[in-house]
Amino acid sequence: MSSPITVTKVASPFADTAEAVRAWVRGWVVSRCAAEPVASAWGFTVDVGLPGHVMRHVLHTADEAAVRKITEHATAPGVWLKAFVAPETLEPWLADGWHLAEGPGYLMSTTLAVTPTPDPVPDDYRLSIWTRGGVTRALVRTADGAFAARGQIAVTGATAAVDQVETDPAHQRRGLGRLVMRRLAAAAAEQGATAGVLGATPEGRALYETTGWRMLAPLTGAVRGPDPDAEGALRRS
């Protein structure tokens, strides 16, 4: 059974959620230096080439038949699947040997605009921003050089995808996450991007909503093989 992903009812720079998915995939592969996505009727396949994350399939439709076919034929470990449905919807569609991974997530978007006055950096912190290979990275460190927060954004024409945003637990609740998000959004806008997209955890969603991002659809991941979280693997949203 196949049905289109529900179009978001909140203001969005994308025509529909499927368009945002395409933008997210384009930006994600640039951010992670993955292979060019291969399009199909149901979504995209991306070669990632990492232990525990060899490749991923991203569906842009809520397609039970496609999920069943993909997961029945993909029997090697390290294959991932991303679908824009709730975990309780995706789990019954998975073949044996597959399991949900990373917990519930969300696809989010925002309109990007150049900000005339950048957000100030809190006292006792230092911010570095640089761009290379289409990816702008923001790094916040303490005055003595210790890691505090980071994030990156990949610009692909008029759209940009935020990725790998994190704040060290010792430095949370000091506005560093908001600082990183706003500086990345401004940097992408200066490069011509007008629409931003990202995949968020529940914790990340709370932060992103304070900076103007809005949820478009649920985002659930599944993986073939051992649970990477149980083995302490890095999250790969």
Side-chain angles (χ1 to χ4, degrees), residues 30-53:
V30 172
S31 178
R32 302 296 180 97
C33 295
E36 190 70 16
V38 177
S40 64
W42 46 258
F44 303 92
T45 297
V46 178
D47 286 329
V48 182
L50 295 174
H53 196 165

Side-chain angles (χ1 to χ4, degrees), residues 11-227:
S12 169
F14 297 99
D16 55 31
T17 307
E19 183 181 70
V21 171
R22 290 190 289 271
W24 183 59
V25 171
R26 288 196 304 269
W28 191 91
V29 300
V30 172
S31 178
R32 302 296 180 97
C33 295
E36 190 70 16
V38 177
S40 64
W42 46 258
F44 303 92
T45 297
V46 178
D47 286 329
V48 182
L50 295 174
H53 196 165
V54 180
M55 65 185 301
R56 64 163 49 188
H57 302 290
V58 183
L59 279 70
H60 54 54
T61 57
D63 192 333
E64 177 180 356
V67 172
R68 290 189 181 278
K69 183 176 181 180
I70 291 168
T71 59
E72 287 170 0
H73 286 79
T75 58
V79 178
W80 284 70
L81 182 143
K82 295 285 184 174
F84 297 88
V85 295
E88 59 269 23
T89 299
L90 181 62
E91 189 168 27
W93 298 351
L94 301 174
D96 291 343
W98 284 77
H99 57 82
L100 300 182
E102 301 181 331
Y106 311 95
L107 184 71
M108 304 184 72
S109 75
T110 194
T111 298
L112 302 175
V114 176
T115 54
T117 304
D119 286 20
V121 180
D123 293 341
D124 300 323
Y125 290 98
R126 304 292 182 266
L127 173 67
S128 299
I129 298 179
W130 68 95
T131 300
R132 182 174 297 166
V135 182
T136 297
R137 292 175 170 82
L139 172 64
V140 181
R141 292 174 290 188
T142 61
D144 61 0
F147 172 80
R150 68 164 181 166
Q152 60 196 60
I153 191 166
V155 176
T156 53
T159 62
V162 174
D163 191 24
Q164 294 191 321
V165 175
E166 85 175 279
T167 301
D168 185 277
H171 300 278
Q172 292 177 351
R173 302 185 183 281
R174 302 183 187 183
L176 301 183
R178 288 190 296 275
L179 170 68
V180 166
M181 289 295 296
R182 287 174 174 154
R183 289 296 186 95
L184 290 176
E190 290 170 359
Q191 296 172 54
T194 57
V197 65
L198 58 80
T201 63
E203 296 79 9
R205 176 184 175 182
L207 164 65
Y208 306 142
E209 287 182 334
T210 67
T211 59
W213 292 74
R214 295 295 178 261
M215 189 188 93
L216 300 180
L219 169 57
T220 303
V223 64
R224 179 67 167 82
D227 186 342

